[in-house]
Amino acid sequence: MSLEDLNDSDIQTLRRLLELSHRADPERRKALCIEIDINPRELSAILTLTTHDFVIELIDLLQKRKLETTIYKLSLLLQSSFERSQDAPQLNAIVDKIKYEKGANDIPPNSQHQSEIKQLHSKINQLEQQLTLLHSLISEQLETIQPLQQQLGEKESIISEQLETIQSLQQQLGEEESVISEQLEIIQSLQQQLREKEPIKPAHNKEVIDSSQAVELKSEKDIDYTKLRNLLADGKWREADQETADKMLTVIDKDSWKDVTREDIRSFPCEDLRTIDQLWQYYSKSRFGFSIQKQIWQEVGEKVDEETNNKLGDNVGWRKNGRWLHYSKLTFELDNAPRGHLPVFGVLGKDNILGWEFLLWFMGVRFSEVEVCLLLSCLDSTTSR
């Protein structure tokens, strides 16, 4: 028997049952193609039709191409779907009319092997369904993997950019270290010159500023330091610390310490720095001031690193039991505060807004670069004597 043995009634039955099985629905058409062993690309011209029209065109196409194996597989699919329906006898007859795809002999309706062959066909159908399911799962996995691959590519690009940024920062750091090294050489040279003229004794052995003389309120920026002088003279150390922070921001024309840069510190006028330092020393009897803090910094290592910062904090009372104190916990009494305890600029803002890390960075730059101003101040005072 062969494909030519199918009559119009058989064809109509195949069309009707295929439409009822929903295997020809748009979302299942590709799976149907895989199940009946036909390339979906061969059906590209009819894949977009309605279900009814697609069924008609598909069966006609299989007939015209005489694809007996394909129609046979389609019949077996429908046979398994409608084996208990009233259409089962006609479907069985259609299957019996079609020659099997591998050239097997026609299967007589009453063959003793028919039952075994049907079981084999059923198993084949199950395997084909499983294969279709696997194809579907693989397709879904591929759709999931593709976005992940794209994200991975984007992350690799971001990492590459970050590495370039790090390399650039490392290069800048090297340049900054070179500048600091040059500044330290200048400072050491100035210190040597100062020692040759007259050795500088630590502030706790001899007052740096003679308390019998008033401090001149000099300023390269025409800043009025009268309020700071009065606060210090009245022993209002906390208010004087805040006033110091405000006046220094005014000198460098900044509204907040968050906006201060290394260049601002480097270019801070020496005359203003000396005036502020001398006021603090004068009214604290040389217990407070930049020069006092610088001397302690030199005594604990004279380096810009964490270890030196911690030693400095311990010596001047900014740290207790290994913890940095909040601004409100500092000592604003001359007799009880450690040497070099002030000024701290309100720890650079209200409520410790920037904190000790920024202050120590500021002081490290000031000690290593602006220290020249303080040395010149001492040289001036030595020359005047």
Side-chain angles (χ1 to χ4, degrees), residues 14-192:
L14 290 175
R15 289 174 177 169
R16 178 172 57 81
L17 295 180
L18 179 57
E19 186 171 357
L20 288 174
S21 70
H22 296 292
R23 294 177 182 273
D25 291 349
E27 65 273 11
R28 300 182 63 186
R29 289 176 186 174
K30 289 186 179 179
L32 174 64
C33 292
I34 295 172
E35 289 177 321
I36 63 176
D37 198 19
I38 187 170
N39 192 332
R41 294 180 181 177
E42 297 181 27
L43 305 179
S44 59
I46 65 173
L47 284 177
T48 58
L49 296 176
T50 64
T51 301
H52 180 74
D53 293 340
F54 173 77
V55 168
I56 294 174
E57 293 295 330
L58 176 63
I59 300 297
D60 289 347
L61 180 64
L62 299 180
Q63 279 186 294
K64 288 177 182 178
R65 295 187 182 180
K66 297 183 179 180
L67 300 176
E68 291 184 359
T69 301
T70 303
I71 294 179
Y72 181 75
K73 289 185 176 183
L74 177 61
S75 301
L76 288 177
L77 286 175
L78 297 175
Q79 186 183 45
S80 64
S81 299
F82 296 96
E83 60 182 350
R84 295 186 180 181
S85 69
Q86 61 183 6
D87 297 299
Q90 187 171 0
L91 270 175
N92 294 336
I94 292 172
V95 170
D96 292 339
K97 290 180 180 181
I98 304 172
K99 186 177 181 181
Y100 186 61
E101 64 171 324
K102 293 187 177 180
N105 294 328
D106 295 342
I107 303 173
N110 298 321
S111 170
Q112 60 181 357
H113 301 295
Q114 187 175 22
S115 176
E116 296 178 1
I117 292 173
K118 283 185 177 180
Q119 291 178 359
L120 289 174
H121 286 328
S122 177
K123 290 182 180 180
I124 291 171
N125 184 43
Q126 292 176 359
L127 291 173
E128 289 175 341
Q129 289 177 349
Q130 293 175 4
L131 181 61
T132 301
L133 180 60
L134 286 174
H135 280 299
S136 177
L137 291 174
I138 291 171
S139 177
E140 291 177 359
Q141 291 296 328
L142 287 173
E143 291 178 357
T144 303
I145 290 171
Q146 288 174 349
L148 292 175
Q149 288 177 328
Q150 183 178 355
Q151 292 177 14
L152 179 61
E154 293 173 354
K155 288 183 178 179
E156 288 176 347
S157 176
I158 293 172
I159 291 172
S160 178
E161 293 176 358
Q162 291 178 341
L163 286 175
E164 291 178 0
T165 302
I166 291 171
Q167 291 172 351
S168 176
L169 291 173
Q170 287 176 331
Q171 183 177 355
Q172 293 178 19
L173 180 61
E175 295 172 356
E176 292 289 345
E177 289 176 346
S178 176
V179 172
I180 291 173
S181 178
E182 293 175 0
Q183 293 292 333
L184 287 174
E185 290 179 2
I186 294 173
I187 291 169
Q188 291 171 355
S189 176
L190 289 170
Q191 288 176 327
Q192 182 62 33

Side-chain angles (χ1 to χ4, degrees), residues 86-333:
Q86 61 183 6
D87 297 299
Q90 187 171 0
L91 270 175
N92 294 336
I94 292 172
V95 170
D96 292 339
K97 290 180 180 181
I98 304 172
K99 186 177 181 181
Y100 186 61
E101 64 171 324
K102 293 187 177 180
N105 294 328
D106 295 342
I107 303 173
N110 298 321
S111 170
Q112 60 181 357
H113 301 295
Q114 187 175 22
S115 176
E116 296 178 1
I117 292 173
K118 283 185 177 180
Q119 291 178 359
L120 289 174
H121 286 328
S122 177
K123 290 182 180 180
I124 291 171
N125 184 43
Q126 292 176 359
L127 291 173
E128 289 175 341
Q129 289 177 349
Q130 293 175 4
L131 181 61
T132 301
L133 180 60
L134 286 174
H135 280 299
S136 177
L137 291 174
I138 291 171
S139 177
E140 291 177 359
Q141 291 296 328
L142 287 173
E143 291 178 357
T144 303
I145 290 171
Q146 288 174 349
L148 292 175
Q149 288 177 328
Q150 183 178 355
Q151 292 177 14
L152 179 61
E154 293 173 354
K155 288 183 178 179
E156 288 176 347
S157 176
I158 293 172
I159 291 172
S160 178
E161 293 176 358
Q162 291 178 341
L163 286 175
E164 291 178 0
T165 302
I166 291 171
Q167 291 172 351
S168 176
L169 291 173
Q170 287 176 331
Q171 183 177 355
Q172 293 178 19
L173 180 61
E175 295 172 356
E176 292 289 345
E177 289 176 346
S178 176
V179 172
I180 291 173
S181 178
E182 293 175 0
Q183 293 292 333
L184 287 174
E185 290 179 2
I186 294 173
I187 291 169
Q188 291 171 355
S189 176
L190 289 170
Q191 288 176 327
Q192 182 62 33
Q193 295 176 27
L194 185 60
R195 294 190 189 99
E196 291 173 357
K197 290 190 175 184
E198 181 178 347
I200 300 177
K201 296 182 180 180
H204 58 281
N205 293 330
K206 180 179 178 180
E207 295 181 2
V208 177
I209 301 300
D210 187 353
S211 60
S212 65
Q213 299 177 355
V215 178
E216 292 185 48
L217 304 184
K218 296 181 180 180
S219 172
E220 292 182 24
K221 298 288 187 176
D222 295 325
I223 304 298
D224 185 5
Y225 292 105
T226 302
K227 181 179 179 181
L228 175 60
R229 181 190 62 190
N230 294 339
L231 290 171
L232 290 169
D234 293 337
K236 297 180 179 180
W237 307 109
R238 182 166 185 164
E239 292 85 348
D241 185 57
Q242 295 287 347
E243 178 67 12
T244 299
D246 294 340
K247 280 293 184 282
M248 292 189 75
L249 283 176
T250 303
V251 171
I252 57 180
D253 195 24
K254 292 293 174 67
D255 296 325
S256 170
W257 284 101
K258 292 186 291 184
D259 303 325
V260 175
T261 65
R262 179 185 292 272
E263 184 57 33
D264 293 326
I265 304 170
R266 185 181 296 163
S267 61
F268 196 97
C270 283
E271 192 166 70
D272 292 75
L273 188 65
R274 287 198 298 271
T275 297
I276 296 171
D277 183 42
Q278 289 172 2
L279 283 171
W280 274 94
Q281 288 190 71
Y282 182 90
Y283 290 102
S284 68
K285 299 179 181 180
S286 297
R287 290 188 61 80
F288 300 150
F290 303 146
S291 297
I292 309 304
Q293 293 169 344
K294 174 184 70 68
Q295 290 170 1
I296 297 172
W297 175 66
Q298 290 174 326
E299 293 168 5
V300 298
E302 200 174 358
K303 294 181 181 179
V304 184
D305 58 19
E306 184 178 1
E307 181 180 356
T308 304
N309 288 343
N310 291 339
K311 289 180 179 178
L312 176 64
D314 291 336
N315 272 268
V316 299
W318 297 340
R319 276 175 30 119
K320 285 187 179 179
N321 300 322
R323 296 177 64 88
W324 292 91
L325 300 179
H326 189 273
Y327 183 69
S328 62
K329 300 297 182 181
L330 298 181
T331 303
F332 296 98
E333 297 176 4

